[in-house]
C-alpha cells in the first residue's frame, strides 16, 4: 500500500494552476500535500489536511473523487489521474493515529452541538480547539451520525469514528449519547443552563415514501432504517431495492453481504445518480440493475413496476399495459430522506422551509438568536465534504457571535 501511494504521489505534475484543488469542494491544497509527503514531512501534511478538513480521512474514503479532485487531474485527460484519495487517506490515517491534540485553555463559554454527523463533528472540533466548553448531544448510542449509521463499514470502517471520539475527549468535549433534544430536554433548557450558542446538525433521518399501495406491508423497509443496523433485519434471499442514489447502492451491497442471493436495484432514469465508481463496485459484488421503470404497487410477493420510455430530450412516457411483478422476499425503498421535526416542533422562533429544512443565513444563523445550523438539516442530503465545508463557515460565525456577547 505504501509503495503504491508513493508511486502515485510521484506522478503528480505539480501544476501551476492545480485543477485538482479547483475540483475539491473544500479546496484542499493537494500539490502541497503531495510535496510535503514526498519530502518526508508527513506530519506537516497531516496537520495541513486536518486544519483544512477535520474529516479528511472520512472524505478520502467516501468522496465522489472521480467528479472532484481526481476528475479534474490533468493526467486523466490522456491516461489515469493521480489517485489522490489514496494519498490523502494514507496521510490522514497516520495523523489520526498518532496525533493527540493538546487540551486548549478554556475561554469560559459553552456551546451545545446537537447531532454528531459530519457537520456536528466539524463544529465540535473547531470550537473545542478555540477554547469553548463543548457538549455533543447525540440521539444514537455512538457518535458519527450518517457516517456511522448510514455508510456501510466496508466503505467507512467504524474504528475511524471511535478514534474521533477519543480525540474529542482529549480536547475536553463532553458527549451525551442517547439524548434527544425536543424530548426530556428542550432548546430553552440549553440556554437556561449556560450554553451561549447552540448548533443544530441533526441531519435527515425521516425516509421519503413512494406514496403507493403496499408500503406498510411487512416485507417493505426503508434503506436509511436498514443501514442503521442491518443485523436486525431478515430481508430474505431475493431483494428489490428501489432508488438511484448512493443509499440504494449501499443498501444493495450490504444486503448481499448479509446473505441475500439476488439483489436488484430498480431506478426510474436510464442513468443512476449514484457515484459511477460505487455502481461499478456494486456490479462486481453481484448487484443487478433495472432502469427506466417506476414502482406502482408493492405486494407480499414483490413489487409491481411500470416501464418508462424516454425521448431524446429525456422526457419520460409511461408504457401502459406493460406492468410487471418482480418477485422478491423484501423491498427496500431508498428515494431520499427529509428532516425530523422534533426540535423545531418543541422550540420557538426556528423557521423552516416547505421541505421542513431549517432556514439560515449565509453564515448558518437561524431565525432564533444564538441558534445555528448547517449540513443536511439545512441543505437536504448532500455529501460529507459539503457538510464540512459549510460548517467551517458556521463555526466562525458561532465564534464571532459568542465573542460579541456581554461577559458576566
Amino acid at each position: 500500500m505504501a509503495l503504491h501511494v508513493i508511486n502515485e504521489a510521484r506522478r503528480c505534475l505539480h501544476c501551476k494552476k492545480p485543477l485538482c484543488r479547483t475540483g475539491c469542494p473544500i479546496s484542499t491544497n493537494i500539490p502541497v500535500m503531495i510535496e510535503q509527503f514526498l519530502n518526508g514531512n508527513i506530519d506537516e501534511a497531516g496537520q495541513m489536511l486536518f486544519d483544512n478538513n477535520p474529516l479528511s480521512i472520512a472524505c478520502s474514503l467516501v468522496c465522489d473523487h472521480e467528479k472532484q479532485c481526481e476528475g479534474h487531474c490533468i493526467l486523466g485527460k490522456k491516461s489515469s489521474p493521480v489517485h489522490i484519495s489514496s494519498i490523502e487517506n494514507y496521510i490522514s490515517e497516520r495523523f489520526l493515529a498518532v496525533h493527540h491534540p493538546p487540551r486548549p485553555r478554556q475561554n469560559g463559554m459553552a456551546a451545545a452541538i446537537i447531532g454528531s454527523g459530519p457537520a456536528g463533528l466539524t463544529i465540535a472540533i473547531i470550537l473545542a480547539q478555540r477554547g469553548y466548553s463543548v457538549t455533543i448531544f447525540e440521539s444514537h448510542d455512538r457518535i458519527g451520525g450518517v457516517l456511522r449509521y448510514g455508510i456501510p463499514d466496508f466503505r467507512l470502517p467504524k474504528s475511524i469514528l471511535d478514534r474521533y471520539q477519543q480525540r474529542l475527549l482529549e480536547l475536553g468535549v463532553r458527549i451525551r449519547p442517547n439524548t434527544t433534544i425536543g424530548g426530556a430536554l428542550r432548546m430553552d433548557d440549553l440556554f437556561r443552563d449556560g450554553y451561549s450558542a447552540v448548533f443544530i446538525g441533526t441531519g435527515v433521518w425521516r425516509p421519503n415514501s413512494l406514496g403507493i399501495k403496499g408500503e406498510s406491508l411487512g416485507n417493505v423497509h426503508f434503506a436509511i432504517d436498514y443501514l442503521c443496523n442491518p443485523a436486525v433485519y431478515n430481508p430474505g434471499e431475493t431483494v428489490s431495492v428501489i432508488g438511484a442514489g448512493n443509499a440504494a447502492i449501499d443498501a444493495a451491497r450490504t444486503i448481499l453481504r448479509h446473505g441475500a442471493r439476488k439483489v436488484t436495484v430498480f431506478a426510474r432514469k436510464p442513468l443512476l445518480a449514484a457515484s459511477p465508481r460505487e455502481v461499478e463496485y456494486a456490479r462486481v459484488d453481484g448487484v443487478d440493475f433495472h432502469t427506466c421503470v417506476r414502482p406502482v404497487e408493492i405486494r407480499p410477493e414483490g413489487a409491481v413496476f411500470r416501464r418508462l420510455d424516454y425521448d431524446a430530450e429525456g422526457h419520460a412516457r409511461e408504457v401502459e399495459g406493460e406492468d410487471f411483478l418482480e418477485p422478491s422476499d423484501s423491498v427496500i425503498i431508498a428515494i431520499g430522506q427529509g428532516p425530523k421535526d422534533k426540535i423545531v416542533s418543541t422550540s420557538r422562533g426556528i423557521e423552516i422551509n416547505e421541505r421542513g429544512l431549517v432556514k439560515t443565513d449565509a453564515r448558518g444563523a437561524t431565525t432564533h438568536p444564538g441558534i445555528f445550523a448547517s449540513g443536511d438539516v439545512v441543505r437536504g442530503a448532500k455529501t460529507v465534504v459539503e457538510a464540512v465545508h459549510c460548517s467551517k463557515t458556521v463555526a466562525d460565525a458561532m465564534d464571532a457571535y459568542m465573542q460579541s456577547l456581554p461577559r458576566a
Side-chain angles (χ1 to χ4, degrees):
M1 174 65 178
L3 180 61
H4 161 70
V5 169
I6 292 170
N7 288 340
E8 282 299 301
R10 286 172 175 162
R11 295 180 61 227
C12 178
L13 299 177
H14 301 283
C15 304
K16 291 184 178 180
K17 294 183 178 180
L19 298 180
C20 56
R21 186 176 185 182
T22 303
C24 175
I26 203 165
S27 298
T28 299
N29 198 332
I30 294 166
V32 171
M33 172 193 77
I34 292 175
E35 183 178 15
Q36 293 274 39
F37 173 64
L38 290 176
N39 288 338
N41 301 321
I42 191 170
D43 291 335
E44 289 80 357
Q47 186 70 61
M48 183 198 73
L49 286 173
F50 187 83
D51 290 344
N52 179 64
N53 177 3
L55 300 186
S56 62
I57 186 172
C59 291
S60 73
L61 294 171
V62 303
C63 268
D64 194 356
H65 302 101
E66 60 267 33
K67 291 183 180 179
Q68 298 171 356
C69 56
E70 293 173 16
H72 286 71
C73 176
I74 194 69
L75 287 176
K77 295 185 181 298
K78 293 186 177 180
S79 59
S80 60
V82 174
H83 207 234
I84 298 165
S85 55
S86 294
I87 304 169
E88 181 181 17
N89 179 258
Y90 187 87
I91 297 170
S92 298
E93 185 173 33
R94 182 187 182 281
F95 181 80
L96 192 61
V98 304
H99 177 64
H100 297 275
R103 184 171 295 197
R105 183 178 179 179
Q106 296 290 287
N107 64 15
M109 306 186 78
I113 310 297
I114 306 174
S116 64
L121 288 178
T122 301
I123 300 282
I125 291 170
I126 293 174
L127 293 183
Q129 288 177 325
R130 296 181 184 179
Y132 291 96
S133 175
V134 175
T135 299
I136 294 175
F137 297 86
E138 171 53 54
S139 61
H140 291 92
D141 59 343
R142 307 291 293 277
I143 69 161
V146 70
L147 297 173
R148 184 181 294 275
Y149 297 103
I151 299 177
D153 191 72
F154 56 82
R155 286 186 61 203
L156 181 64
K158 302 305 178 279
S159 59
I160 291 174
L161 300 172
D162 296 335
R163 277 194 242 167
Y164 269 105
Q165 177 159 327
Q166 185 58 38
R167 298 300 173 267
L168 287 167
L169 295 175
E170 291 171 3
L171 281 169
V173 175
R174 294 180 173 89
I175 300 171
R176 291 190 59 165
N178 300 314
T179 305
T180 301
I181 304 302
L185 293 176
R186 300 196 176 191
M187 194 68 74
D188 290 343
D189 299 326
L190 301 182
F191 288 108
R192 176 201 65 192
D193 292 342
Y195 293 100
S196 299
V198 178
F199 172 75
I200 302 174
T202 47
V204 285
W205 293 96
R206 177 182 52 78
N208 294 336
S209 64
L210 292 165
I212 62 176
K213 182 180 178 181
E215 282 187 277
S216 68
L217 296 178
N219 61 321
V220 182
H221 309 288
F222 292 106
I224 191 64
D225 298 331
Y226 171 78
L227 288 169
C228 281
N229 191 357
V232 304
Y233 289 81
N234 182 27
E237 292 191 352
T238 305
V239 182
S240 296
V241 179
I242 299 173
N246 283 332
I249 302 301
D250 285 343
R253 296 179 67 194
T254 302
I255 291 165
L256 282 173
R257 282 166 169 75
H258 281 77
R261 179 178 52 84
K262 179 178 173 59
V263 177
T264 306
V265 171
F266 292 86
R268 288 172 177 257
K269 295 185 178 180
L271 297 177
L272 275 68
S275 161
R277 184 175 295 177
E278 294 304 319
V279 173
E280 290 176 4
Y281 276 123
R283 293 188 190 277
V284 170
D285 283 347
V287 176
D288 294 325
F289 292 88
H290 196 147
T291 59
C292 302
V293 293
R294 180 178 76 84
V296 294
E297 182 184 353
I298 302 175
R299 301 173 183 173
E301 61 272 20
V304 177
F305 294 92
R306 181 165 299 162
R307 301 185 193 280
L308 300 175
D309 184 29
Y310 285 84
D311 60 24
E313 285 74 37
H315 301 122
R317 177 184 64 85
E318 294 190 352
V319 182
E320 299 289 345
E322 291 195 23
D323 294 1
F324 65 95
L325 171 69
E326 180 69 20
S328 64
D329 297 314
S330 294
V331 176
I332 306 292
I333 300 172
I335 58 167
Q337 302 91 238
K340 294 183 176 180
D341 64 353
K342 199 159 193 177
I343 292 177
V344 173
S345 64
T346 58
S347 304
R348 293 168 295 176
I350 304 176
E351 293 184 12
I352 58 175
N353 65 18
E354 64 281 358
R355 297 171 57 195
L357 301 172
V358 176
K359 288 184 178 181
T360 70
D361 64 14
R363 293 176 59 79
T366 71
T367 50
H368 186 297
I371 299 178
F372 296 78
S374 73
D376 291 355
V377 76
V378 173
R379 305 180 64 198
K382 299 291 183 181
T383 64
V384 174
V385 71
E386 288 174 303
V388 175
H389 176 64
C390 64
S391 296
K392 289 174 63 179
T393 299
V394 178
D396 289 339
M398 292 180 69
D399 186 11
Y401 171 81
M402 288 187 280
Q403 291 300 316
S404 72
L405 296 174
R407 301 297 180 104

